[in-house]
């Protein structure tokens, strides 16, 4: 089945066409974190969608080169460093480290490259691109010494966001030094240094200053992936002005189509409202982990709805994620018991479950894919209840699950128990080894009170979430 994605640029589903069909190679650029604070669950909803995209394409046999940028210089990072009274690099490093820590908890595959905007090679690329835009008359230096892009000189400006240039109006929040621009919509390519920037500055042909946010991504993307990119992803909030500006800058320099397909992820709501610290519904990954949930449970909760549909994050939804993963865990355990000593037999190659991949071929329709998975779980459980599922078929479904799980990464690895639960589980295991069954029962009751169940097996014990917990 051909791959189809909804292209934001055309506002239509389109069949994905390989640019490099011989090598089956796909270049993907994804907008990463701006490291002025810890990324929140809304940010990670987008990062998990991009992870699902990469995993599915790889499962379909494509070679992926994915770049995710790190924005470590902009107004917010400079202001944060100034308020913290530390150098910019020291200020942003803590949030870079936090991002990778959280991404690992959510089992997000690492990109091939994580370019940082402050890297000198990308600063040089930015300066080179800005110089080219000035030479073509697409950019100019204003009286405030900053360099701006002339949106009136780029005919396609506005086509990604689908608006007319005449609709642009001042928001009333324009800095006074931007009134020197030729057009209210002209955006900064290079910001002239001022006292608030402190020691954050680079030399340029236009004087000391720093790059604008938009040119950073154009420079990093083209430096690592070339003049043309197959897929560019991000949140819907990036469409305008950020991605609109990326197109103008990149195509203004190269004269080539910058991106062949744009994919944008819808906003995440919390309890039906926009996430906000003032509303008390602003959550980071550590905030959710502190509630006793695991990284794979958060991953499930954030991945279960198609990326173009608004996702409502709730604690009931987290409980549902826990229950759903518990159903998968129990199903796999039953299949392995039925498969017996055949469970690791590679010669059993019955092909099952391709409806899962076919659903994802259709604009990553994860709802349909998960619907197929749980329908399969229901039907095979019924067959096992009636002793109508043979070992060979059980192995075939286990093999199918291995293929599906490379995309989902849902299977428990036994290493994600909350610390308190893991501590009780270890103490119970030691009590059973010492044949102190009274203590073992006491610890089992404590686990139950926390919503976990200890099941004794021939290899020790298995700790799982209690149904409904």
């Amino acid at each position: 089945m051909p791959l189809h994605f909804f292209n934001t640029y055309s506002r239509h589903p389109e069949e994905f066409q390989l640019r490099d069909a011989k090598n089956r190679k796909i270049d993907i650029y994804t907008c990463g974190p701006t490291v002025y604070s810890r990324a929140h669950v809304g940010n990670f909803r987008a990062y998990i969608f991009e992870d699902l995209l990469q995993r599915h394409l790889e499962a379909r046999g494509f070679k992926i080169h994915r770049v995710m940028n790190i924005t470590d210089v902009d107004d917010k990072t400079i202001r944060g460093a100034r308020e913290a009274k530390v150098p910019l690099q020291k200020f942003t490093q803590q949030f870079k480290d936090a991002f990778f820590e959280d991404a690992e908890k959510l089992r997000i595959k690492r990109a091939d490259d994580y370019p940082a905007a402050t890297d000198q090679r990308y600063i040089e690329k930015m300066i080179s691109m800005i110089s080219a835009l000035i030479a073509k008359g697409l950019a100019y230096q204003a009286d405030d010494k900053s360099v701006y892009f002339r949106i009136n000189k780029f005919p396609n400006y506005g086509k990604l966001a689908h608006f007319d240039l005449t609709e642009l109006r001042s928001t009333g929040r324009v800095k006074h030094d931007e009134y020197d621009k030729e057009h209210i919509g002209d955006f900064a390519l290079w910001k002239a240094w001022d006292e608030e920037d402190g020691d954050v500055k680079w030399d340029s042909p236009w004087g000391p200053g720093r790059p604008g946010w938009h040119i950073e991504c154009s420079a990093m993307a083209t430096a690592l992936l070339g003049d043309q990119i197959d897929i560019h992803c991000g949140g819907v909030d990036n469409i305008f002005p950020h991605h609109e500006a990326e197109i103008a800058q990149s195509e203004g320099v190269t004269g080539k189509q910058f991106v062949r397909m744009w994919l944008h992820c819808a906003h995440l709501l919390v309890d039906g409202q926009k996430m906000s610290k003032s509303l008390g519904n602003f959550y980071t990954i550590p905030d959710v982990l502190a509630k006793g949930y695991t990284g794979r449970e958060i991953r499930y909760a954030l991945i279960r709805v198609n990326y173009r549909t608004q996702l409502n994050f709730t604690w009931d939804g987290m409980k549902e994620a826990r229950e759903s993963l518990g159903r998968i865990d129990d199903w796999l355990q039953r299949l392995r018991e039925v498969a017996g000593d055949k469970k690791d037999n590679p010669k059993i190659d019955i092909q099952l479950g391709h409806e899962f991949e076919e659903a994802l071929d259709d604009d990553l329709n994860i709802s349909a894919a998960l619907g197929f998975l749980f329908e399969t779980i229901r039907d095979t459980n019924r067959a096992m209840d009636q002793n109508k599922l043979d070992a060979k078929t059980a192995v075939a479904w286990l093999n199918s699950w291995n293929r599906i799980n490379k995309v989902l990464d849902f299977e428990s690895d036994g290493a994600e128990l909350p610390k308190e639960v893991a501590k009780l589980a270890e103490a119970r295991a030691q009590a059973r080894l010492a044949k102190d069954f009274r203590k073992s029962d006491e610890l089992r009751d404590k686990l139950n009170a926390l919503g976990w169940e200890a099941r004794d097996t021939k290899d020790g014990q298995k700790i799982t979430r209690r149904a409904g917990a």
Side-chain angles (χ1 to χ4, degrees), residues 331-346 348 384 389-396 398-399 458-459:
W331 176 63
L332 293 173
Q333 180 63 27
R334 294 192 71 186
L335 286 176
R336 287 169 182 139
E337 290 171 357
V338 171
D341 58 7
K342 292 186 174 67
K343 63 184 178 181
D344 297 318
N345 188 343
I348 298 177
M384 286 186 281
L389 192 79
D390 60 28
K392 188 174 182 179
T393 305
V395 173
L398 286 170
N399 291 341
K458 64 180 181 180
D459 299 320

Short mmCIF file of all heavy atoms in Angstrom, two decimals, residues 331-346 348 384 389-396 398-399 458-459:
data_model
loop_
_atom_site.label_atom_id
_atom_site.label_comp_id
_atom_site.label_asym_id
_atom_site.label_seq_id
_atom_site.Cartn_x
_atom_site.Cartn_y
_atom_site.Cartn_z
N TRP A 331 -1.69 -10.43 27.38
CA TRP A 331 -1.85 -11.15 26.10
C TRP A 331 -0.55 -11.83 25.69
O TRP A 331 -0.54 -13.00 25.31
CB TRP A 331 -2.31 -10.15 25.04
CG TRP A 331 -2.43 -10.68 23.65
CD1 TRP A 331 -3.27 -11.66 23.21
CD2 TRP A 331 -1.71 -10.22 22.50
NE1 TRP A 331 -3.13 -11.84 21.86
CE2 TRP A 331 -2.18 -10.97 21.39
CE3 TRP A 331 -0.74 -9.24 22.29
CZ2 TRP A 331 -1.67 -10.78 20.10
CZ3 TRP A 331 -0.24 -9.04 21.01
CH2 TRP A 331 -0.70 -9.80 19.93
N LEU A 332 0.54 -11.08 25.79
CA LEU A 332 1.84 -11.64 25.41
C LEU A 332 2.23 -12.81 26.31
O LEU A 332 2.77 -13.82 25.85
CB LEU A 332 2.92 -10.55 25.46
CG LEU A 332 2.79 -9.43 24.44
CD1 LEU A 332 3.81 -8.33 24.71
CD2 LEU A 332 2.97 -9.97 23.02
N GLN A 333 1.93 -12.68 27.61
CA GLN A 333 2.24 -13.75 28.54
C GLN A 333 1.45 -15.01 28.18
O GLN A 333 2.00 -16.12 28.18
CB GLN A 333 1.91 -13.31 29.97
CG GLN A 333 2.20 -14.36 31.03
CD GLN A 333 3.67 -14.72 31.12
OE1 GLN A 333 4.54 -13.91 30.80
NE2 GLN A 333 3.97 -15.94 31.56
N ARG A 334 0.17 -14.84 27.84
CA ARG A 334 -0.66 -16.00 27.47
C ARG A 334 -0.16 -16.65 26.18
O ARG A 334 -0.11 -17.88 26.07
CB ARG A 334 -2.12 -15.57 27.31
CG ARG A 334 -2.78 -15.10 28.57
CD ARG A 334 -4.29 -14.99 28.37
NE ARG A 334 -4.92 -16.31 28.26
CZ ARG A 334 -6.21 -16.49 27.96
NH1 ARG A 334 -6.98 -15.43 27.71
NH2 ARG A 334 -6.72 -17.70 27.88
N LEU A 335 0.21 -15.80 25.20
CA LEU A 335 0.73 -16.35 23.95
C LEU A 335 2.00 -17.15 24.18
O LEU A 335 2.19 -18.23 23.59
CB LEU A 335 1.01 -15.22 22.95
CG LEU A 335 -0.19 -14.54 22.29
CD1 LEU A 335 0.28 -13.38 21.42
CD2 LEU A 335 -0.99 -15.54 21.44
N ARG A 336 2.87 -16.66 25.05
CA ARG A 336 4.13 -17.36 25.32
C ARG A 336 3.87 -18.68 26.03
O ARG A 336 4.58 -19.67 25.79
CB ARG A 336 5.05 -16.46 26.13
CG ARG A 336 5.63 -15.31 25.30
CD ARG A 336 6.33 -14.27 26.11
NE ARG A 336 6.81 -13.19 25.24
CZ ARG A 336 6.75 -11.91 25.52
NH1 ARG A 336 6.24 -11.51 26.69
NH2 ARG A 336 7.19 -11.01 24.67
N GLU A 337 2.87 -18.71 26.88
CA GLU A 337 2.54 -19.96 27.56
C GLU A 337 2.00 -20.98 26.57
O GLU A 337 2.33 -22.16 26.64
CB GLU A 337 1.52 -19.68 28.67
CG GLU A 337 2.11 -18.90 29.84
CD GLU A 337 1.06 -18.45 30.84
OE1 GLU A 337 -0.15 -18.69 30.58
OE2 GLU A 337 1.44 -17.85 31.86
N VAL A 338 1.15 -20.52 25.63
CA VAL A 338 0.61 -21.43 24.61
C VAL A 338 1.71 -21.89 23.66
O VAL A 338 1.77 -23.05 23.26
CB VAL A 338 -0.53 -20.75 23.82
CG1 VAL A 338 -0.96 -21.60 22.63
CG2 VAL A 338 -1.72 -20.48 24.73
N ALA A 339 2.61 -20.95 23.30
CA ALA A 339 3.69 -21.28 22.36
C ALA A 339 4.66 -22.28 22.95
O ALA A 339 5.24 -23.11 22.24
CB ALA A 339 4.42 -20.01 21.95
N GLY A 340 4.86 -22.21 24.27
CA GLY A 340 5.76 -23.14 24.94
C GLY A 340 7.17 -23.05 24.40
O GLY A 340 7.70 -21.96 24.17
N ASP A 341 7.78 -24.20 24.12
CA ASP A 341 9.17 -24.20 23.66
C ASP A 341 9.30 -23.80 22.20
O ASP A 341 10.40 -23.72 21.67
CB ASP A 341 9.82 -25.56 23.90
CG ASP A 341 9.07 -26.70 23.21
OD1 ASP A 341 8.12 -26.40 22.44
OD2 ASP A 341 9.43 -27.87 23.44
N LYS A 342 8.17 -23.54 21.54
CA LYS A 342 8.23 -23.10 20.15
C LYS A 342 8.31 -21.58 20.02
O LYS A 342 8.44 -21.05 18.91
CB LYS A 342 7.00 -23.59 19.38
CG LYS A 342 6.92 -25.09 19.16
CD LYS A 342 5.73 -25.40 18.27
CE LYS A 342 5.68 -26.88 17.91
NZ LYS A 342 5.42 -27.73 19.07
N LYS A 343 8.21 -20.86 21.13
CA LYS A 343 8.05 -19.41 21.07
C LYS A 343 9.23 -18.69 20.42
O LYS A 343 9.07 -17.57 19.93
CB LYS A 343 7.82 -18.83 22.46
CG LYS A 343 8.97 -19.02 23.44
CD LYS A 343 8.59 -18.50 24.82
CE LYS A 343 9.71 -18.73 25.82
NZ LYS A 343 9.33 -18.26 27.18
N ASP A 344 10.40 -19.32 20.42
CA ASP A 344 11.57 -18.69 19.81
C ASP A 344 11.97 -19.35 18.50
O ASP A 344 13.11 -19.24 18.06
CB ASP A 344 12.76 -18.71 20.78
CG ASP A 344 12.48 -17.91 22.04
OD1 ASP A 344 11.90 -16.81 21.91
OD2 ASP A 344 12.84 -18.38 23.13
N ASN A 345 11.02 -20.02 17.88
CA ASN A 345 11.31 -20.76 16.65
C ASN A 345 11.24 -19.83 15.43
O ASN A 345 10.15 -19.40 15.05
CB ASN A 345 10.31 -21.90 16.48
CG ASN A 345 10.67 -22.81 15.32
OD1 ASN A 345 11.47 -22.46 14.46
ND2 ASN A 345 10.07 -23.99 15.30
N PRO A 346 12.38 -19.50 14.83
CA PRO A 346 12.37 -18.56 13.69
C PRO A 346 11.80 -19.18 12.41
O PRO A 346 11.52 -18.46 11.45
CB PRO A 346 13.85 -18.22 13.52
CG PRO A 346 14.57 -19.43 14.02
CD PRO A 346 13.72 -19.96 15.14
N ILE A 348 8.97 -20.60 12.05
CA ILE A 348 7.53 -20.37 11.94
C ILE A 348 7.32 -18.96 11.42
O ILE A 348 7.49 -17.98 12.14
CB ILE A 348 6.82 -20.57 13.29
CG1 ILE A 348 7.00 -22.03 13.76
CG2 ILE A 348 5.33 -20.22 13.18
CD1 ILE A 348 6.41 -22.32 15.11
N MET A 384 -7.89 -18.59 23.01
CA MET A 384 -7.11 -19.26 24.05
C MET A 384 -8.01 -19.74 25.19
O MET A 384 -7.78 -20.80 25.77
CB MET A 384 -6.00 -18.35 24.56
CG MET A 384 -4.85 -18.19 23.57
SD MET A 384 -3.43 -17.25 24.20
CE MET A 384 -4.02 -15.56 24.02
N LEU A 389 -6.42 -22.07 20.12
CA LEU A 389 -5.25 -21.43 19.51
C LEU A 389 -4.06 -22.36 19.69
O LEU A 389 -3.66 -22.65 20.83
CB LEU A 389 -4.96 -20.08 20.18
CG LEU A 389 -3.94 -19.21 19.46
CD1 LEU A 389 -4.61 -18.51 18.26
CD2 LEU A 389 -3.35 -18.15 20.39
N ASP A 390 -3.51 -22.85 18.59
CA ASP A 390 -2.40 -23.79 18.70
C ASP A 390 -1.07 -23.05 18.87
O ASP A 390 -0.98 -21.84 18.70
CB ASP A 390 -2.35 -24.73 17.50
CG ASP A 390 -2.19 -24.01 16.17
OD1 ASP A 390 -1.61 -22.90 16.15
OD2 ASP A 390 -2.66 -24.53 15.14
N ALA A 391 -0.04 -23.81 19.20
CA ALA A 391 1.28 -23.23 19.47
C ALA A 391 1.85 -22.52 18.26
O ALA A 391 2.46 -21.44 18.38
CB ALA A 391 2.24 -24.32 19.94
N LYS A 392 1.64 -23.08 17.09
CA LYS A 392 2.18 -22.47 15.87
C LYS A 392 1.57 -21.09 15.63
O LYS A 392 2.27 -20.14 15.27
CB LYS A 392 1.91 -23.39 14.68
CG LYS A 392 2.61 -22.95 13.40
CD LYS A 392 2.42 -24.00 12.31
CE LYS A 392 3.16 -23.59 11.04
NZ LYS A 392 3.00 -24.60 9.96
N THR A 393 0.25 -20.98 15.82
CA THR A 393 -0.41 -19.68 15.63
C THR A 393 0.02 -18.70 16.71
O THR A 393 0.19 -17.50 16.44
CB THR A 393 -1.93 -19.85 15.64
OG1 THR A 393 -2.30 -20.83 14.66
CG2 THR A 393 -2.63 -18.54 15.32
N ALA A 394 0.21 -19.18 17.92
CA ALA A 394 0.68 -18.31 19.01
C ALA A 394 2.05 -17.73 18.66
O ALA A 394 2.31 -16.54 18.87
CB ALA A 394 0.74 -19.09 20.32
N VAL A 395 2.93 -18.56 18.13
CA VAL A 395 4.26 -18.09 17.73
C VAL A 395 4.14 -17.06 16.60
O VAL A 395 4.84 -16.04 16.58
CB VAL A 395 5.15 -19.27 17.28
CG1 VAL A 395 6.47 -18.75 16.70
CG2 VAL A 395 5.43 -20.18 18.46
N ALA A 396 3.21 -17.33 15.67
CA ALA A 396 3.03 -16.39 14.56
C ALA A 396 2.59 -15.02 15.07
O ALA A 396 3.07 -13.98 14.59
CB ALA A 396 2.00 -16.94 13.58
N LEU A 398 3.22 -13.84 18.10
CA LEU A 398 4.38 -13.28 18.82
C LEU A 398 5.36 -12.66 17.83
O LEU A 398 5.91 -11.58 18.09
CB LEU A 398 5.07 -14.36 19.65
CG LEU A 398 4.33 -14.81 20.92
CD1 LEU A 398 4.99 -16.04 21.51
CD2 LEU A 398 4.29 -13.67 21.95
N ASN A 399 5.58 -13.34 16.70
CA ASN A 399 6.46 -12.78 15.68
C ASN A 399 5.88 -11.50 15.10
O ASN A 399 6.61 -10.53 14.83
CB ASN A 399 6.70 -13.81 14.58
CG ASN A 399 7.54 -14.98 15.04
OD1 ASN A 399 8.24 -14.89 16.05
ND2 ASN A 399 7.48 -16.09 14.32
N LYS A 458 7.78 -19.36 37.81
CA LYS A 458 8.88 -20.32 38.05
C LYS A 458 10.24 -19.62 38.06
O LYS A 458 11.21 -20.14 38.61
CB LYS A 458 8.85 -21.42 36.99
CG LYS A 458 9.10 -20.93 35.57
CD LYS A 458 9.06 -22.10 34.59
CE LYS A 458 9.34 -21.64 33.17
NZ LYS A 458 9.30 -22.78 32.21
N ASP A 459 10.30 -18.41 37.44
CA ASP A 459 11.56 -17.67 37.41
C ASP A 459 11.65 -16.62 38.50
O ASP A 459 12.62 -15.87 38.57
CB ASP A 459 11.71 -16.98 36.04
CG ASP A 459 11.75 -17.99 34.91
OD1 ASP A 459 12.39 -19.03 35.09
OD2 ASP A 459 11.13 -17.72 33.86
#
